[in-house]
Amino acid sequence: MKPRIHPVSRPVVFRDRAAGVAFLTRSTADADERVTWEDGRSYPVIDVETSSASHPFYTGTKQVLDTAGRIEKFNRRYVGQAPAVG
């Protein structure tokens, strides 16, 4: 790597507010807020909306979609508007 053209990578704590978990990793992101981690050191902390601890893909939870309501809405809106084929 060329010197002085890449951002500095440092330890950062990412805190998932939805799941109530935090994890320490390396990142180029920086933050003004700091938190004391389990090792006693202070690290910048970044709050995130979703992480692997709260995302439905990783947790196995599914969202229920109202597909029946969407089909009925589509039929009400477009029924009889399409020309007959054939």
Side-chain angles (χ1 to χ4, degrees):
M1 292 188 339
K2 291 183 178 180
R4 296 184 305 254
I5 64 168
H6 297 283
V8 177
S9 175
R10 64 182 68 80
V12 177
V13 173
F14 285 92
R15 184 169 47 196
D16 184 347
R17 292 289 190 175
V21 298
F23 53 94
L24 178 66
T25 186
R26 296 191 64 82
S27 176
T28 58
D30 198 9
D32 295 331
E33 187 180 354
R34 299 184 74 80
V35 67
T36 303
W37 191 245
E38 299 163 353
D39 61 2
R41 294 182 179 171
S42 177
Y43 297 105
V45 63
I46 298 175
D47 292 323
V48 293
E49 298 281 329
T50 306
S51 72
S52 59
S54 63
H55 194 279
F57 179 80
Y58 295 103
T59 61
T61 60
K62 296 181 182 179
Q63 294 178 342
V64 177
L65 297 177
D66 181 23
T67 56
R70 289 182 183 185
I71 293 169
E72 291 170 6
K73 183 178 179 181
F74 177 84
N75 287 337
R76 280 194 313 266
R77 183 179 293 169
Y78 297 107
V79 69
Q81 291 184 8
V85 178

